[in-house]
Amino acid sequence: MATRLAANPIGLNRTRPFYQVHPTSSQATLQRSNFLRLQSNTPNHTRVLRRLACQKNPNPNPIESENPTVEPKSVEESKVSEATRSKAENSASAEFPNKGINRRIAAVTSVAALGLFVSGRLDVGGAGTLKDLSKDAIPYETAISNGMPTVVEFYADWCEVCRELAPDVYKVEQQYRDRVNFVMLNVDNTKWEQELDEFGVEGIPHFAFLDRNGNEEGNVVGKLPRQYLVDNVDALAKGEASIPHARAVGQFSSAEARKVHRIADPRSHG
């Protein structure tokens, strides 16, 4: 490249010759040193990025994982956990059979209670019911003429207290039947209207105790302890002049209810 100079008198343009001077070896070394210095001052992004890419944990403060790794349990801890789980399963399995057994026991108990209620209240099955007493009873006419002491019971099939006392009366009858007459008179039977008035029956069961001559020694009415009956019957069997319980009244059913239950059966002694 040439540099334009001022016009000369001749009118020709002159140019200053441009000489390219090659640097000497010392200058070249200096230039190379300066270049390297500049290169070293320039940030080496490529080298930094490559270093980051090679790091195993690029984030110095990593966030903990939501599902951390659980360390494996020791052998002893595993055995304890297994034993606890087995015990819980056994307890759960044993609970259901117990409930089933309890239900069956409750059902059997209910059936047994119902059976006792039916047999005791409704005179169904077993010995010692009103029907048993009526069947084994001595006819009234025979009792007052055979020379033995007599127990006369006035009763009714609808009388609840009579049904409750029937088993106790049956036991006493079985014990003294060879020495004492036991007579059963149903107040619903119109045949016994005269006897009802004679013995003053107002409540049932009414027990009249007669000596060997047919004379009344006393009476017991209603629900009373069994011993009252045993003491009186034993005194009659021994021929004693009096009975221990000549006048005793407990819970009874009114004889007035017989007006709606009356039956006419002169052939029946009950």
Side-chain angles (χ1 to χ4, degrees):
M1 182 175 180
T3 302
R4 181 173 293 181
L5 301 176
N8 55 28
I10 300 176
L12 297 175
N13 293 332
R14 291 184 180 181
T15 57
R16 181 179 295 174
F18 177 78
Y19 299 99
Q20 184 176 2
V21 181
H22 294 281
T24 61
S25 59
S26 60
Q27 292 178 346
T29 301
L30 181 60
Q31 291 177 358
R32 188 176 298 106
S33 300
N34 293 335
F35 177 76
L36 294 176
R37 189 182 301 110
L38 291 175
Q39 289 292 335
S40 61
N41 293 332
T42 302
N44 192 351
H45 297 286
T46 303
R47 190 173 300 172
V48 172
L49 291 176
R50 187 178 295 113
R51 186 182 305 114
L52 291 175
C54 295
Q55 290 180 355
K56 293 183 179 180
N57 187 9
N59 190 352
N61 296 317
I63 300 176
E64 295 182 358
S65 174
E66 295 181 357
N67 299 320
T69 304
V70 179
E71 295 182 359
K73 295 182 178 180
S74 63
V75 177
E76 294 182 357
E77 292 179 350
S78 301
K79 290 182 180 179
V80 172
S81 300
E82 186 67 23
T84 304
R85 183 166 58 254
S86 300
K87 184 177 181 181
E89 292 176 355
N90 294 335
S91 299
S93 61
E95 181 179 0
F96 291 101
N98 289 338
K99 290 183 177 179
I101 293 173
N102 291 337
R103 292 192 186 98
R104 287 193 290 271
I105 293 175
V108 172
T109 304
S110 300
V111 172
L114 180 61
L116 292 175
F117 174 81
V118 170
S119 62
R121 301 282 182 171
L122 302 181
D123 298 337
V124 177
T129 65
L130 287 176
K131 291 181 180 180
D132 296 329
L133 292 173
S134 299
K135 181 180 64 176
D136 297 338
I138 303 295
Y140 179 67
E141 294 82 1
T142 302
I144 61 177
S145 62
N146 64 5
M148 294 175 58
T150 302
V151 176
V152 180
E153 178 182 356
F154 294 89
Y155 78 100
D157 292 332
W158 46 263
C159 173
E160 182 178 351
V161 180
C162 299
R163 294 197 298 266
E164 291 182 5
L165 294 180
D168 290 339
V169 177
Y170 183 81
K171 293 177 181 178
V172 176
E173 178 191 356
Q174 296 301 310
Q175 182 178 355
Y176 291 94
R177 64 184 306 174
D178 59 337
R179 291 173 287 171
V180 178
N181 298 318
F182 285 85
V183 177
M184 298 288 292
L185 299 184
N186 192 333
V187 299
D188 292 334
N189 192 338
T190 57
K191 177 183 178 179
W192 308 118
E193 290 292 336
Q194 182 179 347
E195 284 71 22
L196 290 173
D197 293 339
E198 180 181 347
F199 289 98
V201 177
E202 296 180 356
I204 54 176
H206 180 110
F207 298 92
F209 301 92
L210 312 180
D211 62 12
R212 298 177 186 273
N213 299 320
N215 299 318
E216 185 179 13
E217 297 290 338
N219 59 75
V220 172
V221 180
K223 184 178 180 180
L224 291 168
R226 176 187 173 187
Q227 195 61 39
Y228 279 55
L229 181 62
V230 172
D231 293 343
N232 286 352
V233 173
D234 187 68
L236 289 177
K238 293 178 179 179
E240 296 180 1
S242 61
I243 57 177
H245 311 287
R247 296 288 184 270
V249 179
Q251 181 184 357
F252 61 88
S253 299
S254 175
E256 294 297 322
R258 64 190 177 89
K259 294 180 180 180
V260 297
H261 295 281
R262 284 183 175 179
I263 58 175
D265 187 6
R267 295 172 298 175
S268 174
H269 68 273

